Amino acid sequence: MGRLQRIYYNAIFGGLGGLLGWLLFGQLVDPAWDWRTQALLGGLLIGAVIGSFVVSVEALLDRSLVRYARYAAVGVLLGGIGGLIGFYVGDWINYLIVSTVGSGGVTPAVAPLIVLARGFGWMLFGLALGVGEGIAARSSRKISYGVVGGCLGGFVGGVVFAILMLILSPGDSSYVWGQAIGLIVLGACIGSFTAAVEELFKPAAVKVLRGWQEGREYPIVKPVQVLGRDEGVDILLLRDMRVEKRHAQIRWENGRFLLVNTNAPAAATLVNEEPVADAVELHDGDRIQLGNIVLKFLMRAAKQKPGPRKSSAPPIARAVGPRSG
């Protein structure tokens, strides 16, 4: 899964979350309730559902039940809280605007304020989801990417949602479908923007050239990322019994990236076809082989794009010191 594919999948899953959130909102929220109750319960439902989809995209693609349970739980919790706050804040500001400035109804002068208010409210929701993605992945850098992408996506999606609600008439079937489209766009925007920001700023990645999830890229966004078959690792490599459960680490230290062998056989841990018994520094384009799975190391800010170089494992291994289990 390349960069554009990752953004695409995030948008699809976010949109699905928005659609399901709309269905639950229609079934569980009574239109006869006052606006505060509708906003609080509706925001909670919509936020929790979209959050469960957006935050757990990586786990769903990995087909990892354990990882999905952890990611989805974080998404439901923070998404629900963010949706509750975002929906309520947006409705509350709209209520103030209409009851004061727009006492004569929604006029052309008031409409932009309502749109901005709704965008701001859903921006808070997007921020909560962005934080949730980082917490689920246990990455402070991913939190920062998520905050930027979530805020942008939430604002854009919220503006679209608000415009649809303004141009459609309450009570018509088009208004109901407009709500559905607005929430689908909201979920898709948050999902795609968070993925796009991470793809734009991630310092490095590994791409699967051969083996499980061939073609997929995994971002390197933590000081230490573990590769292996254990469902608790950061980069999951399944369907190859030569790969240990916690086979290796990619460490990001002082601007350098190191592949560290964590007690796996050196013959099953190669960089540019050279065995790695301890650790070796990685450069852009290096070919990593763990068991029978082949990865390519990619750096975002690589100054040049040479072909894979021959490993200089022994000097780096001495410089790094003893390996970490």
Side-chain angles (χ1 to χ4, degrees):
M1 182 178 65
R3 297 177 180 181
L4 293 179
Q5 282 182 300
R6 182 163 182 270
I7 296 172
Y8 166 79
Y9 279 119
N10 270 50
I12 290 296
F13 282 112
L16 286 174
L19 177 60
L20 183 55
W22 169 75
L23 291 173
L24 289 176
F25 180 85
Q27 292 296 316
L28 301 178
V29 177
D30 191 336
W33 293 345
D34 64 274
W35 71 267
R36 289 182 177 85
T37 305
Q38 290 190 51
L40 291 172
L41 182 57
L44 180 66
L45 287 172
I46 294 168
V49 176
I50 294 178
S52 68
F53 276 83
V54 171
V55 174
S56 61
V57 170
E58 295 291 326
L60 289 169
L61 294 174
D62 278 336
R63 304 169 207 171
S64 168
L65 182 60
V66 173
R67 190 186 298 247
Y68 172 74
R70 186 178 91 228
Y71 280 46
V74 174
V76 168
L77 177 62
L78 291 184
I81 294 173
L84 181 151
I85 294 172
F87 204 147
Y88 183 83
V89 167
D91 270 15
W92 178 66
I93 296 175
N94 285 343
Y95 175 78
L96 290 179
I97 293 172
V98 173
S99 61
T100 55
V101 181
S103 55
V106 179
T107 64
V110 172
L113 298 177
I114 293 176
V115 170
L116 291 176
R118 184 70 70 187
F120 174 74
W122 285 121
M123 183 180 74
L124 298 178
F125 169 53
L127 184 151
L129 285 192
V131 171
E133 282 199 79
I135 290 176
R138 300 165 185 167
S139 167
S140 59
R141 184 172 288 267
K142 197 173 179 73
I143 289 177
S144 65
Y145 298 154
V147 166
V148 175
C151 286
L152 289 173
F155 182 79
V156 172
V159 165
V160 173
F161 182 87
I163 291 173
L164 288 172
M165 295 302 95
L166 284 175
I167 63 177
L168 299 174
S169 300
D172 293 345
S173 60
S174 61
Y175 187 82
V176 176
W177 286 109
Q179 288 181 321
I181 294 171
L183 291 176
I184 291 171
V185 171
L186 174 67
C189 282
I190 294 175
S192 60
F193 274 70
T194 53
V197 170
E198 181 176 303
E199 289 297 322
L200 183 62
F201 292 106
K202 67 185 180 184
V206 289
K207 182 176 182 178
V208 182
L209 300 182
R210 185 179 72 203
W212 170 253
Q213 301 282 37
E214 186 171 311
R216 183 171 173 184
E217 284 189 19
Y218 293 89
I220 306 299
V221 292
K222 296 170 63 175
V224 178
Q225 288 193 218
V226 183
L227 303 87
R229 286 188 295 110
D230 189 297
E231 292 198 39
V233 303
D234 303 295
I235 299 175
L236 187 60
L237 305 173
L238 297 177
R239 298 185 181 177
D240 184 355
M241 296 307 295
R242 293 190 66 203
V243 175
E244 303 290 333
K245 288 190 174 182
R246 302 179 76 86
H247 193 111
Q249 299 174 347
I250 293 180
R251 294 186 182 178
W252 184 13
E253 300 177 352
N254 301 317
R256 298 193 311 160
F257 294 91
L258 308 172
L259 180 76
V260 180
N261 184 340
T262 52
N263 297 316
T269 310
L270 309 175
V271 172
N272 299 329
E273 303 180 359
E274 293 289 335
V276 179
D278 193 8
V280 65
E281 184 174 0
L282 295 171
H283 296 82
D284 186 60
D286 279 353
R287 178 186 173 98
I288 303 169
Q289 182 169 343
L290 306 180
N292 294 312
I293 295 177
V294 178
L295 311 168
K296 184 178 182 180
F297 181 72
L298 303 168
M299 291 184 66
R300 179 179 66 87
K303 295 180 180 180
Q304 54 186 358
K305 297 283 184 177
R309 37 165 204 92
K310 286 295 181 180
S311 173
S312 55
I316 296 299
R318 288 195 295 270
V320 171
R323 62 174 172 260
S324 170

